[in-house]
Every structure is written in structure tokens, then in C-alpha cells.
Amino acid sequence: MDYTALKIKVTDIVSQSGLLCEDKLLKICHLLRDSIDYYDWVGYYFANHERRELVLGPYAGEATDHVVIPFGKGICGQVAVSNQPFLVEDVAAQDNYISCNIQVKSEIVVPLFVAGKNIGQIDIDSNVKAAFTADDQQFLEEINQMVSVLFV
């Protein structure tokens, strides 16, 4: 997998003028899902700190019922509280997992920081157990760093 080529494409998307932020994020979600075979669902959730919940933003993949997730609930909700990436090799082994699709076997969630504040996260599901590695985490942290300029 060529993470470098994907990062160049993400940089190009982020820098496109005339596109709304949501459209750029949607293009990035589709790019990642279409380019990495074990990225079966890719989406962004954004934090509403006053209500202590995450709200679904742009995504690529099957529709989900989880459009609002309370802080602390599920993998995404835990990342909203911990501010740390969370890589889950086997979602069935997680007590606090929210099932979006019975096909999902593993998940990675990486927070999105702007000026040191967690404003949301990228959430990726895979239908393959133990699909994600430390390389995926580093790659997604870099993607989120590129995306963060959209919110400054």
C-alpha cells in the first residue's frame, strides 16, 4: 500500500478551492475506502462538547443507525473521552462495542485535533479481524493532521 501517494491525494483534496469542507471530507472518505481494500467503512464523527456526544459527518460505506454517539459509549465514544487512538483487533472481544454491521470484525478510531482540542475523529471499520496496524494508525494521524487545516 502506498501511503505516500494517498497522502498526496489527500493534500490535493484539502487544497481544492470551491469545495465545501464536508465535500472535501467525503472525497477523503471515499478515497481511503476505495484505495485500501480492508477499509470497509470510513467516516468522520464530530464532537458536540456541550451535549457530550459525537455526531456523524461525511462517510463512505453502508448507512449506519449510529448518527449520534454519547461520549464514553462504543469505541468512538471512548476516544472522545480518552483523546487517544483506539485500535481494536476483534470487536467481538470489546464489552463497550456498538455494532454497526455484523460483518465488522475490527475497528480503528483516531482523534482529530485542532489547536490541541479533540473536535472529532476518523472511524474505520474492517470486515477482516486484526486488519489494522501501527502503520495504519500513524497514517491516519497524518491524514487527520492534514484535515485539521479545514477547521482553523
Side-chain angles (χ1 to χ4, degrees):
M1 159 155 8
D2 190 351
Y3 289 127
T4 302
L6 287 174
K7 288 189 281 189
I8 291 168
K9 289 180 181 181
V10 168
T11 299
D12 289 345
I13 292 169
V14 167
S15 64
Q16 286 179 356
S17 60
L19 272 185
L20 297 173
C21 177
E22 280 193 21
D23 294 330
K24 291 178 182 184
L25 292 174
L26 183 60
K27 283 183 126 184
I28 291 167
C29 290
H30 279 282
L31 172 69
L32 297 179
R33 182 173 181 258
D34 295 344
S35 300
I36 302 175
D37 62 351
Y38 56 93
Y39 283 22
D40 294 299
W41 191 95
V42 179
Y44 277 92
Y45 281 92
F46 292 96
N48 180 327
H49 291 282
E50 291 173 9
R51 298 177 83 168
R52 297 197 42 79
E53 64 188 18
L54 296 164
V55 179
L56 181 62
Y59 68 92
E62 290 187 33
T64 178
D65 292 336
H66 303 290
V67 296
V68 176
I69 300 173
F71 281 15
K73 186 168 170 104
I75 308 307
C76 290
Q78 290 177 72
V79 169
V81 173
S82 73
N83 295 320
Q84 298 295 317
F86 198 161
L87 191 156
V88 179
E89 292 185 351
D90 181 0
V91 296
Q94 289 292 314
D95 292 337
N96 195 14
Y97 174 69
I98 302 171
S99 178
C100 296
N101 176 333
I102 60 168
Q103 306 275 348
V104 175
K105 304 292 185 236
S106 58
E107 181 174 12
I108 187 169
V109 179
V110 176
L112 172 61
F113 294 100
V114 174
K117 182 177 183 180
N118 181 350
I119 67 156
Q121 55 204 227
I122 190 168
D123 175 23
I124 302 180
D125 295 338
S126 179
N127 298 342
V128 176
K129 200 181 274 189
F132 305 106
T133 67
D135 289 341
D136 289 291
Q137 180 178 321
Q138 180 179 343
F139 169 67
L140 294 169
E141 287 171 351
E142 292 171 8
I143 295 299
N144 275 355
Q145 195 168 30
M146 289 180 237
V147 164
S148 70
V149 302
L150 298 173
F151 300 94
V152 177

